[in-house]
C-alpha cells in the first residue's frame, strides 16, 4: 500500500494540472464528443466536432438527421456507422424524455444508446462536477501496470482507484492518468527510463524478478 501512495504523490507532483483534451461548450456537446471518441483519437474527434457543432447545436438537430447523413459527417471517426445510429437514437430520447437536456443521473445516462459506464462517468464528472473516476483504456492500462489495481475489468479498476484517491481529486486523476498513459506509460514501448515512478512500478518489479529467476 505504501508504494501506491508514493505513486500517487509523485504523479500528482509531476503532473499537477491535467485538463480534458476534448473540446466542448456544454453537456450535450461533451456527450456527443465522448461517444465519438471510442476507438478514435481526441484530435480527430475535435476536428470532426468543430464542423459538426457549427451546424447542429441541439439534440433535436441531430435527431432530425438520417443515419446516412450523420455517418457521412463523422466518417473520420472509427465505427462511424454504429456511432451515427447511436447518436441519433440518443438525441431522440433526450429530446422526447428529458426536454432536450442531458440527464445528470448515472443510470439515465448509461441507458442511452452508445453510452457505457466510462462515457456516463466522463459526462457526470466534466459536465456536472460529480466525483466520478472514469476508466478508459489508458487509465486501465496505467493503473494495472503500476500496481494501483489488480482488477481485470474497468469497473474493478475504477473501484480500486476510488478507494485510493480522495473524492475531491477524482476528476483530475482521470486526466492525469490519461496524460501519463499517452506521454510515458504508452501501450507499446513505454518510456520506463523517463518514468518518475519507475522505482515503484510493479510491472518493472515483476520483470526484474523474472530476469533473476531465469539466471538462477
Amino acid at each position: 500500500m505504501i508504494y501506491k501512495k508514493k505513486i500517487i504523490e509523485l504523479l500528482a507532483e509531476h503532473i499537477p494540472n491535467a485538463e480534458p483534451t476534448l473540446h466542448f461548450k456544454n453537456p450535450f456537446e461533451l456527450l456527443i464528443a465522448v461517444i465519438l471518441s471510442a476507438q478514435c483519437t481526441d484530435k480527430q474527434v475535435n476536428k470532426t466536432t468543430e464542423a459538426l457543432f457549427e451546424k447542429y447545436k441541439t439534440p433535436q438537430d441531430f435527431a432530425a438527421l438520417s443515419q446516412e447523413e450523420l455517418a457521412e459527417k463523422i466518417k473520420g471517426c472509427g465505427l462511424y456507422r454504429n456511432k451515427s445510429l447511436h447518436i441519433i437514437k440518443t438525441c431522440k430520447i433526450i429530446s422526447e424524455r428529458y426536454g432536450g437536456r442531458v440527464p445528470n443521473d448515472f443510470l439515465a445516462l448509461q441507458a442511452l444508446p452508445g453510452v457505457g459506464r466510462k462515457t456516463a462517468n466522463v459526462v457526470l464528472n466534466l459536465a456536472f462536477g460529480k466525483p466520478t473516476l472514469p476508466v478508459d483504456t489508458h487509465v486501465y492500462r496505467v493503473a494495472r501496470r503500476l500496481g494501483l489495481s489488480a482488477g481485470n475489468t474497468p469497473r474493478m479498476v475504477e473501484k480500486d482507484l476510488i478507494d485510493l484517491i480522495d473524492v475531491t481529486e477524482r476528476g483530475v486523476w482521470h486526466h492525469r492518468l490519461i496524460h501519463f498513459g499517452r506521454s510515458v506509460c504508452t501501450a507499446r514501448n513505454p518510456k520506463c527510463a523517463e518514468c518518475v515512478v519507475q522505482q515503484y512500478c510493479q510491472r518493472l518489479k515483476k520483470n526484474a524478478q523474472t530476469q533473476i529467476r531465469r539466471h538462477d
Side-chain angles (χ1 to χ4, degrees):
M1 188 66 177
I2 294 175
Y3 78 85
K4 293 182 181 180
K5 291 182 178 179
K6 290 300 296 183
I7 289 172
I8 296 296
E9 290 174 7
L10 287 169
L11 286 181
E13 181 181 328
H14 183 66
I15 313 170
N17 301 306
E19 301 290 337
T21 51
L22 287 176
H23 298 166
F24 62 94
K25 297 176 183 175
N26 53 57
F28 175 65
E29 289 189 358
L30 173 62
L31 175 62
I32 299 303
V34 180
I35 291 174
L36 289 174
S37 70
Q39 297 188 32
C40 183
T41 65
D42 287 359
K43 182 178 180 180
Q44 180 59 45
V45 172
N46 290 335
K47 181 180 178 181
T48 299
T49 56
E50 182 178 7
L52 198 64
F53 294 153
E54 189 67 32
K55 188 171 182 180
Y56 306 100
K57 303 180 182 298
T58 68
Q60 292 85 348
D61 292 337
F62 281 87
L65 293 170
S66 69
Q67 182 184 2
E68 292 75 17
E69 287 175 317
L70 183 55
E72 180 64 25
K73 298 177 187 304
I74 64 171
K75 64 181 181 181
C77 300
L79 306 174
Y80 63 93
R81 289 189 177 87
N82 285 338
K83 289 176 182 178
S84 62
L85 180 61
H86 289 156
I87 288 172
I88 290 171
K89 287 183 176 179
T90 283
C91 287
K92 287 180 179 178
I93 292 171
I94 292 174
S95 299
E96 297 167 3
R97 193 175 301 173
Y98 300 105
R101 299 175 68 87
V102 175
N104 64 353
D105 174 80
F106 177 80
L107 293 178
L109 281 167
Q110 199 175 23
L112 296 171
V115 177
R117 185 177 186 87
K118 183 214 72 174
T119 298
N121 278 332
V122 169
V123 172
L124 289 174
N125 185 282
L126 290 180
F128 300 110
K130 296 193 176 184
T132 62
L133 207 163
V135 175
D136 69 353
T137 55
H138 298 290
V139 175
Y140 181 79
R141 178 180 71 253
V142 170
R144 283 167 48 84
R145 272 187 181 172
L146 295 181
L148 296 176
S149 172
N152 55 17
T153 67
R155 188 164 186 172
M156 292 171 67
V157 170
E158 179 186 334
K159 181 182 182 301
D160 289 340
L161 291 176
I162 284 175
D163 289 342
L164 276 175
I165 296 168
D166 187 84
V167 65
T168 61
E169 291 287 310
R170 289 173 190 166
V172 70
W173 268 99
H174 168 65
H175 301 296
R176 184 172 284 144
L177 290 171
I178 288 175
H179 176 85
F180 186 67
R182 286 173 173 165
S183 61
V184 178
C185 198
T186 52
R188 296 182 180 180
N189 302 315
K191 303 171 185 176
C192 298
E194 301 175 19
C195 178
V196 296
V197 297
Q198 60 175 294
Q199 62 181 312
Y200 303 107
C201 176
Q202 299 305 291
R203 175 178 180 267
L204 289 180
K205 183 179 179 180
K206 289 177 182 177
N207 288 346
Q209 291 172 341
T210 300
Q211 291 297 323
I212 291 173
R213 285 195 295 267
R214 286 176 178 173
H215 288 87
D216 284 347

